[in-house]
């Protein structure tokens, strides 16, 4: 005879179990979904930043003068001093490890550039030919400054792309044309564009480059320069040579060898190491948060399996009474836990990768439209996906351990008592 109340009770039990299982599975789904999103976003941020600076020589360093902090050789504490052209030659001769070295000078004034009826205000830099390899540039027109320009103090200049666009007509050939910079006429020999986002002393596309010797003469600088930039052979570390180079500069300029302030420096190698350490820490944090969320989901799976074991006490007890070995009971509970975890986890992995793919398409369209973004299209590596799958399997097995142990404790007499 049809028992309506009994069937309603069975239906409610099944529905309750399904809802409970879905909520538990959602915890695992959310954990792997967030792990994929955070990992992809972290990779996108790292790739976006590193891609903008990867062409910059990592084994390079910049030296500049600061106030002395100690009295020495008859000079008072707090002396202002300047780096000179001779310091470049001293460093070049003292350290055969140096591959490229350049003097650097800076000058900026409002409306310092004139051509016909066009005015502009740009950073003027005095550089050596080697600087093309320290801060890499791509030539749109002509050439970079060369040793003949330095030796003969030629009044020539290399202009950035923005300077060209603002001072010349679209498509006009700028080579050989004159620009008046701070009242002095210079002939344009090249137009450059940076290939790296690391730009010392202002944006390269909005700068004008002169031979440093010409700039010394035009601006009455004598033998003074503002900075020395150098890069060493990749077989050596600039960090290992940095202090020794500072000591050579101190000795050449009669500065106390114990003065830690007088010679300032920017070590690009250390900056890159800091970048990589930062992103390494971000990746570790992402995995800690992701695995923590997964473990929270695993606790939920373990709890639902404990409830399931409690509700199936009669079934398990009867199976034990009929001779079911502990291994079969163990495999049953562990497999159910593993399947529940894997289904939820792989669905979360699929949804996370799908969302990253959509974001990738959107960002590729932005890049094609010419928009500048520092964040590369997010994506996860195959190794990350495999690692996430392994974590899922381990999580599923751990989630089933306690319920399986509880199931093994059920005896046939417990089934009778449950009834």
């Amino acid at each position: 005879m049809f028992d309506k109340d009994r069937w309603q009770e069975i239906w409610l039990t099944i529905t309750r179990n399904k809802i409970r299982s879905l909520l538990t599975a959602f915890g695992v789904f959310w954990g792997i979904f967030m792990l994929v999103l955070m990992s992809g976003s972290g990779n996108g941020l790292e790739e976006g930043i590193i891609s903008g600076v990867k062409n910059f020589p990592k084994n390079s360093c910049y030296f500049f003068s600061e106030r002395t902090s100690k009295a020495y050789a008859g000079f008072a504490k707090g002396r202002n001093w300047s780096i000179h052209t001779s310091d470049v030659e001293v460093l070049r001769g003292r350290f055969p490890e140096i591959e490229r070295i350049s003097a650097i000078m800076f000058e900026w004034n409002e409306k310092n550039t004139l051509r016909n009826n066009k005015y502009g205000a740009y950073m003027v830099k005095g550089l050596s030919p080697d600087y093309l390899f320290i801060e890499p540039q791509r030539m749109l027109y002509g050439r970079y400054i060369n040793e003949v320009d330095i030796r003969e103090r030629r009044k020539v200049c290399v202009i950035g792309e923005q300077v060209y666009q603002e001072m010349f007509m679209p498509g006009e050939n700028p080579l050989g044309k004159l620009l008046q910079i701070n009242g002095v006429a210079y002939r344009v020999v090249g137009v450059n564009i940076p290939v790296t986002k690391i730009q010392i002393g202002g944006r390269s596309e909005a700068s004008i480059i002169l031979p440093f010797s010409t700039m010394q003469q035009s601006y009455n600088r004598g033998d003074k320069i503002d900075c020395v930039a150098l890069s060493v052979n990749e077989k050596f570390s600039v960090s290992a040579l940095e202090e020794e180079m500072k000591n050579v500069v101190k000795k050449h300029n009669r500065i106390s060898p114990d003065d830690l302030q007088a010679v300032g420096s920017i070590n690009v190698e250390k900056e890159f190491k800091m970048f990589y350490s930062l992103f390494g820490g971000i990746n570790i944090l992402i995995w800690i948060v992701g695995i923590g969320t997964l473990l929270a989901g695993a606790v939920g799976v373990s709890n639902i399996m404990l409830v399931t074991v409690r509700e199936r006490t009669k079934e398990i007890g009867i199976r034990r009474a009929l001779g079911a070995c502990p291994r079969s009971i163990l495999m049953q509970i562990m497999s159910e836990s593993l399947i529940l975890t894997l289904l939820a986890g792989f669905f979360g992995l699929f949804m996370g990768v799908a969302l990253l793919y959509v974001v990738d398409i959107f960002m590729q369209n932005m890049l094609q439209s010419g928009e500048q973004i520092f964040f590369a299209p997010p994506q996860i590596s195959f190794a990350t996906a495999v690692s996430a799958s392994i974590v899922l399997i381990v999580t599923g097995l751990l989630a089933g351990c306690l319920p399986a142990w509880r199931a093994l404790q059920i005896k046939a007499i417990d089934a009778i008592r449950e009834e």
Side-chain angles (χ1 to χ4, degrees):
M1 184 175 180
F2 178 75
D3 188 344
K4 181 179 179 181
D5 293 337
R6 176 61 176 168
W7 281 105
Q8 285 182 344
E9 181 181 351
I10 294 173
W11 174 253
L12 288 174
T13 301
I14 294 173
T15 304
R16 185 170 61 249
N17 289 339
K18 285 184 177 180
I19 294 175
R20 199 161 50 194
S21 298
L22 286 174
L23 290 176
T24 301
F26 181 78
V28 178
F29 162 83
W30 187 253
I32 198 70
F33 179 74
M34 291 304 299
L35 176 61
V36 170
L37 286 188
M38 290 188 297
S39 180
S41 300
N43 290 338
L45 178 62
E46 179 177 0
E47 181 62 25
I49 293 178
I50 296 301
S51 64
V53 300
K54 64 182 179 181
N55 293 319
F56 200 93
K58 300 176 180 62
N59 225 9
S60 57
C61 194
Y62 292 74
F63 297 96
F64 48 90
S65 61
E66 295 187 326
R67 284 178 178 269
T68 60
S69 61
K70 292 188 176 182
Y72 184 76
F75 293 99
K77 174 183 175 181
R79 169 170 64 106
N80 288 315
W81 67 285
S82 298
I83 294 181
H84 297 79
T85 308
S86 56
D87 290 308
V88 176
E89 300 306 321
V90 168
L91 288 172
R92 193 198 304 270
R94 176 65 178 78
F95 296 94
E97 300 91 345
I98 294 177
E99 198 168 53
R100 305 284 181 179
I101 187 167
S102 171
I104 302 180
M105 301 174 65
F106 303 108
E107 186 72 33
W108 187 88
N109 292 306
E110 292 186 1
K111 295 185 177 180
N112 57 359
T113 305
L114 169 67
R115 181 175 184 263
N116 299 331
N117 61 343
K118 295 182 178 180
Y119 291 88
Y122 308 106
M123 175 64 73
V124 181
K125 300 179 181 180
L127 302 175
S128 303
D130 274 0
Y131 199 70
L132 176 63
F133 304 95
I134 299 176
E135 186 180 318
Q137 306 287 321
R138 180 165 60 89
M139 303 306 298
L140 297 179
Y141 291 93
R143 63 172 177 84
Y144 204 70
I145 55 177
N146 57 33
E147 291 294 343
V148 178
D149 297 330
I150 300 294
R151 185 172 58 252
E152 297 183 2
R153 301 178 185 268
R154 289 178 173 176
K155 289 183 171 59
V156 296
C157 66
V158 176
I159 61 176
E161 183 184 26
Q162 180 180 329
V163 181
Y164 165 68
Q165 292 173 349
E166 295 176 355
M167 303 302 293
F168 292 86
M169 298 296 294
E172 182 181 359
N173 187 350
L175 301 182
K177 305 295 174 59
L178 295 177
L179 280 181
Q180 189 172 335
I181 305 169
N182 288 321
V184 179
Y186 296 87
R187 193 171 301 278
V188 177
V189 296
V191 178
N192 68 324
I193 183 172
V195 297
T196 174
K197 292 181 181 178
I198 298 181
Q199 298 170 32
I200 306 299
R203 297 166 52 243
S204 296
E205 57 266 40
S207 299
I208 299 175
I209 299 172
L210 308 178
F212 81 89
S213 57
T214 304
M215 190 168 176
Q216 284 177 329
Q217 184 180 59
S218 299
Y219 289 84
N220 297 317
R221 295 280 194 96
D223 191 37
K224 297 179 181 179
I225 58 177
D226 295 319
C227 185
V228 175
L230 58 86
S231 62
V232 302
N233 189 285
E234 60 182 10
K235 297 179 181 179
F236 303 94
S237 169
V238 72
S239 297
L241 300 170
E242 181 181 4
E243 289 303 318
E244 189 176 352
M245 290 178 177
K246 283 185 176 182
N247 289 333
V248 169
V249 174
K250 290 175 187 177
K251 182 177 181 180
H252 188 250
N253 291 276
R254 292 188 289 177
I255 297 172
S256 170
D258 299 324
D259 193 332
L260 303 179
Q261 175 181 303
V263 181
S265 64
I266 300 174
N267 189 325
V268 179
E269 182 182 35
K270 290 181 180 178
E271 298 298 323
F272 269 93
K273 287 181 178 179
M274 183 182 70
F275 270 129
Y276 290 126
S277 298
L278 174 62
F279 289 121
I282 290 174
N283 287 330
I284 292 174
L285 180 61
I286 286 171
W287 276 96
I288 290 175
V289 173
I291 291 177
T293 308
L294 276 176
L295 289 178
V299 171
V301 173
S302 182
N303 288 335
I304 193 64
M305 292 305 300
L306 284 172
V307 173
T308 301
V309 169
R310 180 72 181 87
E311 292 177 346
R312 295 166 62 182
T313 299
K314 178 181 177 181
E315 173 194 336
I316 296 173
I318 292 174
R319 288 186 62 193
R320 293 295 302 274
L322 294 176
C325 63
R327 180 180 177 182
S328 66
I329 303 295
L330 179 67
M331 292 299 295
Q332 177 188 0
I333 303 302
M334 293 291 287
S335 61
E336 290 181 10
S337 172
L338 183 60
I339 290 173
L340 178 61
T341 304
L342 289 181
L343 286 176
F346 282 124
F347 184 63
L349 181 63
F350 171 78
M351 293 300 294
V353 172
L355 182 57
L356 291 181
Y357 179 71
V358 172
V359 174
D360 188 355
I361 295 176
F362 177 73
M363 294 187 67
Q364 292 291 353
N365 292 334
M366 291 179 62
L367 291 172
Q368 290 177 2
S369 65
E371 292 189 43
Q372 298 294 324
I373 53 177
F374 70 91
F375 194 89
Q379 55 185 339
I380 64 169
S381 63
F382 179 75
T384 301
V386 172
S387 301
S389 301
I390 293 174
V391 170
L392 272 177
I393 294 172
V394 174
T395 301
L397 293 175
L398 289 175
C401 287
L402 181 58
W405 178 82
R406 290 289 298 273
L408 292 177
Q409 308 306 309
I410 298 176
K411 299 179 175 57
I413 191 64
D414 294 328
I416 301 174
R417 289 173 180 171
E418 185 70 18
E419 183 65 22

